[in-house]
């Protein structure tokens, strides 16, 4: 009897898990490395250990929120690289109207696989983990908590991600070693009946990995909610003084708890339809329309799940370099909560062309337009914060301002798409792609870059290369606007999305979009080189207040923690001890 490739893969994965479990049981009291009282490196943890284990053991067994933040960061950068490579391959293919570049490597099938993995990777394996990276490292410090509420669950949530990612990407690499599992070609929306009719185990493996990533995100969300609500130092950080980034992480956690179970249910039903003959999404069952309702009830809150914490980052960072307090703090908090509530009432604006009842579409259009109001409140407050401020155009400030610019363009184009007559014309064109990328990369990506540059001195003890940071910003904003505006113009011209070939009349703007994508690629290479080199060899900071925040009375809790840690290290061992600390 022939042994199936999927059986071999299952056995190998089981053996790997057994080896890891066996190795962990050999470690002496490995569970005890949870930090207490801030858990700084080299400090006693209160469990009989003077310091964490060294090397690989530390990173595989750590439950320290700062370590896990760094692990999320490294994972997010790897996913960002893979998502960027797939996007660049698609853009190079789209430079010409016919199938040229990929024709010898899988043709249309490979293009569809790249399209699928690019969308899923950037949304679920880059954006969400990068937000969790910043949140894990900073939220306990901002709310003056010892650690995350559930440190071990925090570690489990992270370690689910690499295994889910292996399953989602397996179809690109297993055929190379002779295992016949093909990459999923469903597009990131997984629309039925395509996702239920494609044969082969590749889609099932992909769906299983996708399902696991949802578990990881949900576990992380529960941890953030519990940390902010229950572990916060209520004397130092009452609700009235909770920072705006923590407010957005709290709101994000609530959205995840309501939205991700719907996605998990839809994916589980897809797996059952594909493998056990159920008829959830068959024509005589719920049909494709049922899947779209389930997917977009999750899918549109997912946009706000991803964009609210970056909004919080920008709201936190802009005042630091504008030299004045955030204008209308309470209104930004209220608008955050309003967006969280309204986000569950707009999902069907993705379905205006499906033939659903016009009276329903009118109500969804009204709510979709209404959700622009709290978003506009934030924009006006950011602009007013900058108005007459003493601006310092550092890298965090530049990326925060770039976020505002890109978010305005993405938001305005989104308001147009919320209007039924306009959406009927632009649905499934490149206009939607341009709008979405202004939000996902132009807004979310820029805010994450701002946060990483802002806290880079704290995380490494060194300063990044300012010149490379400027190159990163200007190439990113120029390349991004060139690419995404070209996509908007293509959409106005009627160019449909998800197509690997097109009419020659669209070639010029596709070439412009590809040029912009190449510029963005150079920008991200500068970013990676800057962070790698600066973390190892950058100029060591000589203060716990590298941004001079005390002068403007904005020295927040995380910097206070960092300054106290530096003072303890200097008292124990001077500059040499400080150098050892920053090397970690």
């Amino acid at each position: 009897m022939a042994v199936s490739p999927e059986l071999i893969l299952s056995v190998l994965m089981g053996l790997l898990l057994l080896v890891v479990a066996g190795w962990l049981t050999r470690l002496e009291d490995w569970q005890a490395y949870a930090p207490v009282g801030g858990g700084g490196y080299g400090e006693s943890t209160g469990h009989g250990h003077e310091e964490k284990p060294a090397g690989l053991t530390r990173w595989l067994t750590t439950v320290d929120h700062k370590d896990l933040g760094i692990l999320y960061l490294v994972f997010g950068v790897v996913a960002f690289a893979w998502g960027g490579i797939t996007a660049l391959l698609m853009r190079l293919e789209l430079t010409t109207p016919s199938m040229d570049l990929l024709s010898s490597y899988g043709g249309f099938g490979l293009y569809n696989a790249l399209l699928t993995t690019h969308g899923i990777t950037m949304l679920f394996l880059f954006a969400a983990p990068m937000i969790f990276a910043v949140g894990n490292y900073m939220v306990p410090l901002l709310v003056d908590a010892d650690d995350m509420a559930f440190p071990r669950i925090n570690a489990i949530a992270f370690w689910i991600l690499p295994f889910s990612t292996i399953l989602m990407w397996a179809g690109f690499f297993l055929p190379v070693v002779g295992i016949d599992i093909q990459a999923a070609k469903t597009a990131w929306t997984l629309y039925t009946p395509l996702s239920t009719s494609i044969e082969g185990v590749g889609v099932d493996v992909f769906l299983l990995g996708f399902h696991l990533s949802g578990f990881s995100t949900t576990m992380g969300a529960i941890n953030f909610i519990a940390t902010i609500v229950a572990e916060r130092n209520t004397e130092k950080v009452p609700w009235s003084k909770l920072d705006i980034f923590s407010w957005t992480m709290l709101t994000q956690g609530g959205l995840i708890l309501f939205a991700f179970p719907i996605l998990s249910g839809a994916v589980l039903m897809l797996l059952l339809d594909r493998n056990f003959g159920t008829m959830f999404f068959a024509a005589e069952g719920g049909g494709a329309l049922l899947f779209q309702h389930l997917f977009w009830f999750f899918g549109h809150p997912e946009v706000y799940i991803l964009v609210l914490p970056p909004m919080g980052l920008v709201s936190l960072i802009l005042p630091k370099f504008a030299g004045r307090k955030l204008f209308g703090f309470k209104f930004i908090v209220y608008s955050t909560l309003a967006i969280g509530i309204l986000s569950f009432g707009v999902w069907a604006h993705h379905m205006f062309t499906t033939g659903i009842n016009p009276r329903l579409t009118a109500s969804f259009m009204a709510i979709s337009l209404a959700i622009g109001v709290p978003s506009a409140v934030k924009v006006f407050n950011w602009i007013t914060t900058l108005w007459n401020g003493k601006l310092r155009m550092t890298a965090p400030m530049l990326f925060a301002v770039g976020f505002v610019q890109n978010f305005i363009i993405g938001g305005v184009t989104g308001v147009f798409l919320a209007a039924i007559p306009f959406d009927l014309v632009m649905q499934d064109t490149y206009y939607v792609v341009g709008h979405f990328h202004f939000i996902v990369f132009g807004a979310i990506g820029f805010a994450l870059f701002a946060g990483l540059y802002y806290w880079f001195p704290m995380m490494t003890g060194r300063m990044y290369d300012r010149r490379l940071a400027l190159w990163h910003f200007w190439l990113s904003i120029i390349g991004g606007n060139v690419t995404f505006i070209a996509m908007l113009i293509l959409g106005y011209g009627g160019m449909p999305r998800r197509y690997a070939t097109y009419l020659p009349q669209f070639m010029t703007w596709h070439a412009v979009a590809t040029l912009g994508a190449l510029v963005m690629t150079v920008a991200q290479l500068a970013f990676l080189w800057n962070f790698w080199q600066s973390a190892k060899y950058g100029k060591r900071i000589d203060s716990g207040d590298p941004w001079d925040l005390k002068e403007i009375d904005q020295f927040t809790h995380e910097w206070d923690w960092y300054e106290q840690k530096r003072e303890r290290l200097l008292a124990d061992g001077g500059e040499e001890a400080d150098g050892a600390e920053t090397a970690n």
Side-chain angles (χ1 to χ4, degrees):
M1 182 180 70
V3 178
S4 64
E6 51 266 33
L7 179 60
I8 295 174
L9 179 63
S10 299
V11 172
L12 291 175
M13 290 292 288
L15 289 174
L16 175 62
L17 290 175
L18 286 174
V19 170
V20 172
W23 179 75
L24 288 176
T25 57
R26 292 174 61 88
L27 297 176
E28 179 185 358
D29 195 21
W30 71 274
Q31 301 96 326
Y33 295 126
V36 178
Y41 300 128
E43 297 176 88
S44 174
T45 63
H47 295 278
H49 293 272
E50 290 303 316
E51 59 182 14
K52 299 177 185 178
L56 185 62
T57 301
R58 166 191 168 185
W59 295 105
L60 290 177
T61 62
T62 183
V63 292
D64 184 344
H65 68 98
K66 298 183 295 301
D67 285 355
L68 287 165
I70 293 172
L71 287 172
Y72 269 111
L73 177 62
V74 172
F75 175 86
V77 168
V78 173
F80 185 50
W82 173 249
I85 290 169
T86 57
L88 187 61
L89 288 173
M90 287 189 291
R91 283 262 41 105
L92 291 172
E93 175 56 56
L94 290 168
T95 305
T96 58
S98 57
M99 175 62 66
D100 296 317
L101 177 67
L102 303 178
S103 59
S104 302
Y105 305 98
F108 293 102
L110 178 57
Y111 182 90
N112 291 337
L114 293 173
L115 180 70
T116 302
T117 192
H118 170 69
I120 292 290
T121 296
M122 286 307 204
L123 289 174
F124 296 94
L125 303 179
F126 162 64
M130 288 292 280
I131 291 169
F132 276 24
V134 177
N136 263 282
Y137 204 106
M138 294 301 163
V139 165
L141 303 181
L142 287 165
V143 302
D144 198 30
D146 291 336
D147 200 303
M148 296 291 283
F150 308 111
R152 290 171 182 79
I153 291 178
N154 198 24
I156 293 170
F158 170 77
W159 285 110
I160 289 174
L161 274 179
F163 291 101
S164 68
T165 303
I166 290 171
L167 293 174
M168 283 190 275
W169 293 355
F172 288 94
F173 307 109
L174 291 181
V176 177
V177 296
I179 300 177
D180 187 21
I181 294 180
Q182 300 297 316
K185 305 175 180 67
T186 60
W188 77 273
T189 52
L190 308 172
Y191 276 170
T192 59
L194 178 64
S195 58
T196 53
S197 60
I198 294 179
E199 297 181 355
V201 74
V203 176
D204 298 307
V205 171
F206 173 83
L207 289 173
L208 181 58
F210 192 25
H211 200 39
L212 287 174
S213 71
F215 281 117
S216 170
T217 304
T218 305
M219 292 166 71
I222 293 170
N223 221 343
F224 280 117
I225 293 173
T227 300
I228 295 170
V229 173
E231 295 297 308
R232 174 174 46 89
N233 186 331
T234 55
E235 293 183 2
K236 292 184 179 180
V237 191
W239 285 113
S240 60
K241 294 184 179 180
L242 183 65
D243 66 281
I244 189 63
F245 178 61
S246 297
W247 272 112
T248 55
M249 290 298 295
L250 181 62
T251 307
Q252 181 206 49
L255 294 181
I256 289 173
L257 288 188
F258 284 100
F260 267 79
I262 305 299
L263 174 67
S264 297
V267 171
L268 182 60
M269 285 189 277
L270 269 180
L271 286 167
L272 292 173
D273 274 12
R274 286 182 56 82
N275 295 283
F276 295 98
T278 55
M279 302 173 66
F280 292 110
F281 304 124
E284 52 268 50
L289 202 61
L290 172 62
F291 179 82
Q292 289 192 41
H293 277 298
L294 291 173
F295 182 85
W296 288 117
F297 187 82
F298 148 80
H300 205 84
E302 166 68 3
V303 175
Y304 297 105
I305 286 170
L306 295 179
V307 82
L308 281 175
M311 286 178 171
L313 282 175
V314 170
S315 300
L316 184 75
I317 293 170
L318 275 179
K320 305 296 188 291
F321 301 99
R324 53 186 300 185
K325 298 289 186 181
L326 179 65
F327 180 84
F329 178 88
K330 289 184 179 179
F331 288 98
I332 290 187
V333 172
Y334 295 150
S335 65
T336 298
L337 299 175
I339 288 173
I341 295 170
L342 290 173
S343 67
F344 285 99
V346 301
W347 80 88
H349 76 220
H350 294 272
M351 302 169 61
F352 285 160
T353 59
T354 59
I356 59 178
N357 192 310
R359 287 170 291 186
L360 287 176
T361 58
S363 65
F364 281 108
M365 179 180 74
I367 301 174
S368 300
L369 293 172
I371 205 170
V373 175
S375 299
V377 167
K378 292 180 181 294
V379 172
F380 290 131
N381 283 13
W382 293 328
I383 294 173
T384 308
T385 301
L386 296 173
W387 194 263
N388 286 334
K390 297 179 181 179
L391 306 185
R392 293 184 289 162
M393 304 310 291
T394 61
M397 182 63 157
L398 287 171
F399 275 101
V401 173
F403 166 95
V404 176
Q405 182 245 280
N406 290 329
F407 182 73
I408 290 172
I409 298 176
V412 169
T413 52
V415 169
F416 278 107
L417 286 172
I420 295 173
F422 189 85
D423 185 78
L424 292 176
V425 178
M426 291 297 162
Q427 179 67 269
D428 278 332
T429 68
Y430 259 83
Y431 186 91
V432 180
V433 181
H435 151 71
F436 192 60
H437 280 79
F438 262 115
I439 296 296
V440 173
F441 179 76
I444 296 172
F446 271 53
L448 288 171
F449 289 138
L452 291 177
Y453 280 114
Y454 175 59
W455 282 307
F456 185 85
M458 179 188 298
M459 298 173 73
T460 66
R462 301 176 184 270
M463 183 56 72
Y464 56 82
D465 186 316
R466 291 181 172 88
R467 183 176 59 179
L468 278 177
L470 290 177
W471 277 104
H472 178 212
F473 169 74
W474 287 111
L475 291 176
S476 292
I477 198 163
I478 292 171
N481 278 265
V482 167
T483 299
F484 306 146
I485 290 174
M487 289 178 175
L488 296 176
I489 295 171
L490 284 167
Y492 274 123
M495 171 69 204
R497 59 176 172 168
R498 305 192 184 101
Y499 279 60
T501 58
Y502 53 87
L503 297 176
Q505 68 198 56
F506 298 116
M507 181 175 174
T508 299
W509 286 109
H510 269 301
V512 171
T514 301
L515 177 62
L518 291 171
V519 173
M520 280 194 291
T521 301
V522 174
Q524 307 328 308
L525 291 175
F527 159 71
L528 293 174
W529 177 255
N530 190 1
F531 266 52
W532 172 258
Q533 283 291 102
S534 299
K536 294 182 67 175
Y537 309 113
K539 181 181 178 182
R540 189 170 290 126
I541 62 171
D542 55 6
S543 168
D545 183 18
W547 302 116
D548 298 323
L549 301 179
K550 291 181 180 179
E551 296 180 6
I552 55 174
D553 193 26
Q554 296 201 43
F555 194 67
T556 44
H557 287 287
E558 80 278 21
W559 290 108
D560 184 52
W561 166 84
Y562 180 63
E563 185 176 56
Q564 292 179 25
K565 185 183 72 169
R566 280 180 54 87
E567 290 174 355
R568 288 197 301 269
L569 288 167
L570 290 172
D572 291 340
E575 290 294 328
E576 184 177 352
D578 182 46
E581 163 66 13
T582 58
N584 283 321

